[in-house]
Amino acid sequence: ALCTLAGKSVGIGDGVKVELTVLYLFTFSLLACVFCRKNDDCPNKYGEKKTKEKWNLTVHYYCLLMSSGIWQRGKEEEGVYGFLIEDIRKEVNRASKLKCCVCKKNGASIGCVAPRCKRSYHFPCGLQRECIFQFTGNFASFCWNHRPVQIITSNNYRESLPCTICLEFIEPIPSYNILRSPCCKNAWFHRDCLQVQAINAGVFFFRCTICSNSDIFQKEMLRMGIHIPEKDASWELEENAYQELLQHHERCDVRRCRCKEGRDYNAPDSKWEIKRCQCCGSSGTHLACSSLRSWEQNWECLECRGIIYNSGEFQKAKKHVLPNSNNVGITDCLLEESSPKLPRQSPGSQSKDLLRQGSKFRRNVSTLLIELGFQIKKKTKRLYINKANIWTSALDAFRNRNFNPSYAIEVAYVIENDNFGSEHPGSKQEFLSLLMQHLENSSLFEGSLSKNLSLNSQALKENLYYEAGKMLAISLVHGGPSPGFFSKTLFNCLVYGPENTQPILDDVSDFDVAQIIIRINTATTIADLKSVINECYNYLELIGCLRLITTLSDKYMLIKDILVYHVIQRVQAPFESFKQGLKTLGVLEKIQAYPEAFCSILCHKPEIHTLPDVKALGFWNSYLQAVEDGKSTTTMEDILIFATGCSSIPPAGFKPTPSIECLHVDFPVGNKCNNCLAIPVTNTYKEFQENMDFTIRNTLKLEKEESSHYIGH
């Protein structure tokens, strides 16, 4: 019957893909929730409808959450929203023996919590009879006779009042469908209006529409059965929602502009460069028009100057500092006891209290890095880099007294011992990419994939840990690649502090220390444990981890002490130095303010996908598809390196944007300074693929050989 109906809707033979898609969507819409037996897909009313094809299971989120005999025993990603499949089946079996007091059908999984009340019902039936479901605490439900009500001592409203959300007039009498604000006596709402607003605003923005109170208002609305999801507001999740805020004001607004080219003319590093007001940023002036000697000199527009001097505080306006998370109570979040059922949270969401205290909602890491990039001035600093000795030349450039991290960076490649002193333009992203690769493999870090800081006394003496942190910060802000090799332990130490971080065995790169920990952990008797301790007595005494062993479980505390010493305490001096370097351009403060965003680029290597903003047709499109499918000897990373010099897409994006051009040449050409790839125009795809593979593969091979040749000499 389904196939026949689907065939009629699209026409049998019109296309297998279209027919199967329509059939799948139609079949999905008919799948009924195992609790309420309804196939409605209405997120605002019943919550998200989730289907697990593997277990042939479909549920409404609210039906699952409010069921009386099930608890959330798994993690968010396990089962369905943290409810295990076996528990769901047990609850369905339990509910099959209970009859709904509304529709008289079996499967009533929700019961009224009032003492001696034996009413059971399906979630949709409960909504129909105006039951109240509380999406907080123990997720209680109340039937129509025992539901909570709003009590008003006196009703002085003789006329209708508007709902403060939809503005339709309602009778100001509390009922199931009409609710009053607990903090504003003249604020009335439709229940449906409140529920829609709560879903869109989320827990961080749902508040009284009159006085903006959130705590008292949310507490009352939860009591009255309004579901407030713990997520960001829908408008916060829109891509590029606040893109206009990233635009700079570039216009001279003084009364008499002296520039002959007009008020919109802006010439960097000249007297016609536009300087913005340091207070509001929404007014500007040419340097010459306000008699400013340099771009660094402060300037305020007339409006801001009047406000500053009329306030009676004749002090220079202070610069805004980046947010600091030192005052955020991490332990408050860690010690908070949670309910056995938890409302569904967005992936990786932080504690509600932590987000509220710091007012730091999850944000895109690209936007955060763009904001940090506003510090970069138009003044340019050229770095002379020897590719054969990338570390030493970078170190010399960054330690130069004329180097300023906030200056724009230009790169020129030079060859050591070149008598002619020749130089040629280089790619900033290629330079930063090579620098990050060197850091990852340097002796400053230890570990295979996820790395921690090592203890190198010579590097500590030369202050190289500070320089490494500084280089990482500069790379992130100036559009370089993300490191991607931090261990979770190193990242947590930077964000939450070493005292709040517990290392694991994978953090130990020293084979002998790892073997000691493994032997202690595998000891099955106190005698075995004491034997291991006696063998390692000198080492344990040296690191201060000797302890009295009375029970076998004491081995866990001993292991913890060894891990903390080896991974954290042993490298305390390098860590503090590295941390200071990472404060360059405010990067560390930003990481501590938005740990979720930065964890993805500091602890994980980015996946390589098709180059953005490139619209390709024909052979190029087929070639990219072959590369992605693994049918070519070339990888997507090879193409990126060939065209841009960067092995991965930088978190802040490419500047300039990568581009493709078609040239009547036999082989491709990569311009790393402009991030441009010129592809050949050939007669056949086979010829196109062979020329692309040959050129890219051999070019990268030659560059590696040249690099190793220079290093060898």
Side-chain angles (χ1 to χ4, degrees), residues 209-316:
T209 55
I210 302 298
C211 68
S212 294
N213 180 284
S214 59
D215 293 334
I216 298 175
F217 185 77
Q218 286 190 18
K219 186 176 180 180
E220 175 66 6
M221 293 305 115
L222 287 170
R223 187 181 76 90
M224 296 307 297
I226 300 298
H227 178 223
I228 310 173
E230 194 159 329
K231 65 167 190 175
D232 285 339
S234 56
W235 56 85
E236 289 285 335
L237 302 176
E238 293 181 17
E239 189 174 357
N240 298 325
Y242 304 101
Q243 192 66 28
E244 65 276 3
L245 297 180
L246 303 179
Q247 297 177 359
H248 287 182
H249 182 85
E250 292 190 353
R251 189 176 189 274
C252 181
D253 298 305
V254 298
R255 182 175 298 178
R256 292 184 181 180
C257 178
R258 301 175 184 176
C259 183
K260 295 181 180 180
E261 301 295 333
R263 292 181 177 272
D264 295 325
Y265 181 72
N266 183 23
D269 299 326
S270 72
K271 64 179 181 179
W272 302 119
E273 181 176 3
I274 289 181
K275 168 79 175 178
R276 288 181 294 277
C277 172
Q278 67 168 350
C279 296
C280 67
S282 59
S283 295
T285 177
H286 290 115
L287 298 182
C289 296
S290 294
S291 301
L292 299 177
R293 296 181 179 179
S294 67
W295 195 87
E296 287 81 6
Q297 191 173 346
N298 292 329
W299 176 81
E300 303 96 7
C301 63
L302 289 175
E303 289 79 5
C304 293
R305 193 176 305 165
I307 295 173
I308 293 172
Y309 286 93
N310 289 334
S311 66
E313 298 179 3
F314 300 97
Q315 297 179 354
K316 192 173 289 186

Side-chain angles (χ1 to χ4, degrees), residues 314-566:
F314 300 97
Q315 297 179 354
K316 192 173 289 186
K318 295 181 180 179
K319 293 183 179 180
H320 294 288
V321 295
L322 291 170
N324 192 327
S325 62
N326 291 338
N327 58 351
V328 178
I330 302 294
T331 54
D332 294 342
C333 306
L334 297 176
L335 298 176
E336 183 179 4
E337 185 177 353
S338 59
S339 166
K341 287 186 186 179
L342 297 176
R344 185 188 175 199
Q345 299 179 356
S346 53
S349 63
Q350 293 185 0
S351 152
K352 171 180 173 182
D353 292 336
L354 178 59
L355 288 173
R356 278 186 170 175
Q357 289 178 24
S359 298
K360 303 176 180 76
F361 304 104
R362 290 187 305 278
R363 299 176 63 190
N364 186 282
V365 68
S366 300
T367 306
L368 298 172
L369 291 176
I370 290 172
E371 289 178 1
L372 287 174
F374 288 160
Q375 304 170 80
I376 300 176
K377 302 173 183 177
K378 294 182 179 179
K379 189 172 182 178
T380 303
K381 175 65 177 177
R382 173 168 290 192
L383 306 182
Y384 296 94
I385 303 299
N386 179 8
K387 289 178 71 174
N389 197 347
I390 198 81
W391 171 254
T392 303
S393 53
L395 204 58
D396 292 341
F398 289 154
R399 282 178 168 176
N400 189 299
R401 64 178 183 177
N402 294 324
F403 176 76
N404 188 332
S406 61
Y407 287 171
I409 293 176
E410 282 186 1
V411 174
Y413 287 134
V414 296
I415 300 176
E416 193 174 6
N417 299 326
D418 184 2
N419 296 327
F420 299 99
S422 59
E423 61 182 67
H424 57 91
S427 165
K428 177 182 69 174
Q429 277 147 342
E430 180 186 26
F431 158 62
L432 293 174
S433 180
L434 293 173
L435 186 58
M436 290 302 104
Q437 290 175 21
H438 178 89
L439 269 180
E440 181 177 359
N441 299 314
S442 71
S443 60
L444 301 178
F445 296 90
E446 61 183 19
S448 53
L449 297 177
S450 298
K451 296 180 179 291
N452 291 294
L453 291 172
S454 65
L455 180 58
N456 187 322
S457 57
Q458 185 62 31
L460 191 62
K461 182 179 179 180
E462 296 177 6
N463 205 25
L464 296 186
Y465 289 100
Y466 170 83
E467 297 296 340
K470 179 180 176 181
M471 290 175 182
L472 283 166
I474 291 174
S475 176
L476 288 173
V477 178
H478 284 264
S482 56
F485 59 81
F486 282 21
S487 71
K488 282 293 183 63
T489 299
L490 175 57
F491 180 79
N492 288 338
C493 285
L494 291 170
V495 176
Y496 306 114
E499 66 278 4
N500 296 317
T501 302
Q502 177 57 51
I504 58 176
L505 181 60
D506 291 342
D507 294 319
V508 180
S509 60
D510 189 305
F511 178 79
D512 295 332
V513 176
Q515 286 299 309
I516 292 174
I517 295 174
I518 292 173
R519 290 181 61 191
I520 294 174
N521 188 48
T522 54
T524 56
T525 64
I526 295 182
D528 292 340
L529 181 58
K530 289 184 177 180
S531 174
V532 175
I533 293 175
N534 288 333
E535 291 180 23
C536 308
Y537 183 88
N538 292 334
Y539 171 73
L540 295 176
E541 183 182 34
L542 178 66
I543 66 176
C545 290
L546 276 178
R547 61 169 47 242
L548 180 64
I549 301 297
T550 56
T551 63
L552 187 61
S553 59
D554 289 341
K555 68 180 182 179
Y556 300 114
M557 290 303 298
L558 178 59
I559 291 173
K560 180 179 178 181
D561 291 344
I562 297 174
L563 286 172
V564 170
Y565 168 79
H566 186 82

Side-chain angles (χ1 to χ4, degrees), residues 92-112:
V92 172
N93 184 55
R94 183 191 71 84
S96 65
K97 304 170 186 176
L98 301 175
K99 182 176 291 186
C100 176
C101 60
V102 179
C103 68
K104 308 304 180 184
K105 296 180 181 179
N106 290 342
S109 62
I110 305 173
C112 178

